[in-house]
């Protein structure tokens, strides 16, 4: 069973910390589908220390989400440590995670995220400083390296362990790959062979079978699911069940998808306000509709709504039409 420090998960399935997605409304929904651990989207150390309201709001968590990992990023030791201390003392998060994988230029240009991957010594220095100043377990999420010529993932993972990090999540792509190309799981296996702390594998886990294959091929302790869970918390549920029993649960029907989508919407409204929530929910609704038939029109309609009532009407009308057609077909 996956255990990070003294925090024990009920299963090895972990929701990845996706920026712009993993707020409390989404995390709680995924948690209810069985995730062993959910991770909050990354927040800036400096924004925490500057008391940025939007950032501090992102630190909110519902007790039902626990255990939860809260991720911070930054490029300077002093501010990263102070932000970690703030999270340690002022949030209910169980784990403090340090981002070493974000590949976007606005993060790397401030010596944060994936920029750390070029210097194992800096990784040790920064992780050690954080771990010495907080009571919660400290973990790191990293990529293989900056590019194919600079893959230091084994040395970097060893640095995390030596510095007191309690686990490392490895995304099997380089910074140069961004989110394209193939995730190389062989490096995840190599990291697992070289460190004694838990290793969580990440990258190209699109089905429950992929999750089992990653665990089997790499020997990793946990499997992290990101984009495959967007609009699809059933991916988490189906993966947990498949790992437990080998039984592949069926995909959800349209009605079930829409019901959960609307639950997600209402949680987002409670978390933010109706206008902001509906604007954000447009992309989520499109993800929930993925894989369903005849969604071209409803996708266009979703991008025009601005109120909860409109969103509910569009999605309810769609699913009623889907079910009506199914009944008509069955009656023939």
């Amino acid at each position: 069973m996956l255990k990070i420090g003294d925090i024990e998960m009920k299963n090895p399935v972990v929701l990845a910390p996706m920026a712009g997605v993993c707020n409390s409304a989404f995390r709680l929904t995924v948690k209810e589908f069985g995730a062993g651990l959910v991770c909050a989207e990354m927040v800036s150390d400096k924004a925490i220390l500057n008391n940025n309201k939007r950032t501090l709001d992102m630190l909110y968590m519902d007790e039902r989400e626990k255990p939860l990992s809260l991720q911070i990023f930054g490029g300077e030791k002093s501010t990263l440590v102070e932000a970690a201390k703030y999270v340690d003392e002022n949030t209910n998060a169980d784990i403090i995670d340090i981002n070493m994988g974000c590949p976007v230029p606005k993060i790397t240009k401030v010596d944060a995220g994936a920029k750390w991957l070029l210097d194992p010594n800096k990784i040790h220095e920064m992780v050690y400083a954080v771990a010495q100043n907080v009571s919660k377990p400290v973990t790191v999420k990293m990529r293989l390296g900056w590019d194919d010529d600079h893959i230091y993932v084994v040395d970097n993972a060893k640095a995390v362990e030596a510095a007191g990090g309690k686990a490392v999540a490895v995304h099997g792509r380089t910074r140069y790959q961004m989110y394209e190309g193939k995730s190389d799981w062989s490096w995840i296996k190599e990291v697992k062979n070289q460190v004694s702390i838990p290793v969580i594998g990440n990258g190209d886990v699109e089905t429950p079978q992929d999750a089992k294959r990653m665990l089997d091929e790499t020997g990793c302790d946990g499997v992290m699911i990101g984009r495959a869970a967007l609009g699809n918390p059933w991916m988490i549920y189906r993966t947990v069940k498949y790992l437990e029993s080998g039984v592949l649960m069926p995909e959800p029907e349209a009605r079930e998808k829409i019901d959960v989508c609307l639950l997600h919407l209402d949680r987002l409204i409670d978390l933010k306000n109706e206008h902001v929530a509906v604007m954000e929910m447009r992309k989520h609704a499109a993800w929930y509709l993925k894989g369903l038939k005849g969604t071209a029109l409803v996708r266009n309609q979703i991008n025009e709504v601005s109120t909860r009532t409109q969103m509910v009407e569009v999605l309810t009308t769609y699913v009623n039409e889907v079910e009506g057609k199914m009944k008509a077909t069955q009656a023939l």
Side-chain angles (χ1 to χ4, degrees):
M1 194 55 61
L2 178 61
K3 187 175 182 181
I4 298 174
D6 59 354
I7 309 299
E8 188 168 336
M9 274 41 88
K10 61 183 179 180
N11 62 63
V13 180
V14 181
L15 174 69
M18 293 175 283
V21 172
C22 286
N23 53 46
S24 181
F26 180 66
R27 297 191 310 259
L28 178 57
T29 302
V30 171
K31 172 64 76 171
E32 290 176 340
F33 275 80
L37 176 68
V38 293
C39 302
E41 59 188 307
M42 66 179 185
V43 292
S44 161
D45 59 352
K46 288 184 171 62
I48 290 173
L49 299 180
N50 289 332
N51 293 312
N52 178 276
K53 183 182 184 306
R54 179 175 175 275
T55 297
L56 296 183
D57 286 345
M58 290 167 68
L59 302 181
Y60 169 79
M61 63 165 286
D62 187 304
E63 281 292 312
R64 292 171 292 176
E65 299 174 46
K66 293 170 73 70
L68 174 134
S69 170
L70 201 156
Q71 187 180 75
I72 58 177
F73 74 91
E76 297 176 19
K77 181 168 65 175
S78 60
T79 53
L80 194 72
V81 168
E82 289 305 310
K85 287 167 65 175
Y86 182 93
V87 170
D88 193 43
E89 297 165 6
N90 296 283
T91 78
N92 291 325
D94 300 281
I95 296 164
I96 299 173
D97 188 61
I98 302 173
N99 182 296
M100 275 193 243
C102 184
V104 300
K106 73 176 182 179
I107 303 298
T108 59
K109 75 179 182 182
V110 295
D111 291 334
K115 193 64 178 289
W116 288 36
L117 302 174
L118 292 165
D119 190 348
N121 290 328
K122 179 180 179 180
I123 288 172
H124 182 276
E125 178 185 356
M126 300 281 267
V127 174
Y128 180 82
V130 171
Q132 291 296 305
N133 281 281
V134 299
S135 61
K136 302 179 191 294
V138 175
T139 62
V140 168
K141 185 171 189 289
M142 64 171 63
R143 286 178 173 243
L144 301 184
W146 186 258
D147 54 30
D148 287 344
D149 296 324
H150 301 85
I151 294 181
Y152 305 146
V153 65
V154 173
D155 288 339
N156 289 340
K158 287 181 176 179
V160 170
E161 180 178 31
K166 299 302 184 183
V168 60
V170 179
H171 181 164
R173 289 183 174 85
T174 63
R175 183 266 170 187
Y176 180 78
Q177 284 180 276
M178 299 293 281
Y179 298 97
E180 304 299 325
K182 185 174 174 59
S183 176
D184 188 346
W185 294 357
S186 67
W187 283 109
I188 299 173
K189 180 178 181 178
E190 185 62 22
V191 170
K192 177 58 186 172
N193 289 338
Q194 295 290 328
V195 300
S196 59
I197 56 174
V199 175
I200 300 169
N202 178 223
D204 290 351
V205 179
E206 298 174 357
T207 66
Q209 298 95 316
D210 289 337
K212 185 175 189 308
R213 185 166 58 86
M214 173 179 275
L215 290 166
D216 290 345
E217 290 183 7
T218 71
C220 62
D221 304 279
V223 58
M224 183 173 278
I225 298 172
R227 288 176 289 174
L230 296 175
N232 188 22
W234 296 270
M235 170 60 182
I236 302 294
Y237 170 75
R238 296 174 75 237
T239 298
V240 170
K241 292 299 181 184
Y242 187 72
L243 294 177
E244 288 176 349
S245 66
V247 175
L248 194 60
M249 303 300 288
E251 294 277 9
E253 300 289 341
R255 173 70 65 178
E256 187 179 358
K257 278 197 163 192
I258 298 309
D259 285 348
V260 173
C261 179
L262 295 178
L263 170 65
H264 185 171
L265 168 63
D266 285 337
R267 284 176 169 165
L268 204 52
I269 290 172
D270 289 341
L271 187 65
K272 304 191 176 185
N273 62 60
E274 182 175 354
H275 179 73
V276 172
V278 171
M279 293 300 104
E280 284 193 20
M281 202 63 200
R282 288 176 174 180
K283 65 184 179 185
H284 286 282
W287 288 326
Y288 277 100
L289 290 166
K290 188 176 179 181
L292 299 178
K293 295 180 180 179
T295 60
L297 177 60
V298 69
R299 285 171 184 267
N300 290 334
Q301 292 173 332
I302 284 169
N303 286 329
E304 300 297 326
V305 303
S306 57
T307 67
R308 178 191 184 277
T309 299
Q310 292 170 337
M311 178 77 80
V312 171
E313 182 179 358
V314 167
L315 292 174
T316 303
T317 298
Y318 163 75
V319 77
N320 287 341
E321 290 176 352
V322 168
E323 292 182 343
K325 290 177 182 177
M326 286 180 61
K327 289 178 181 177
T329 301
Q330 292 169 353
L332 294 176

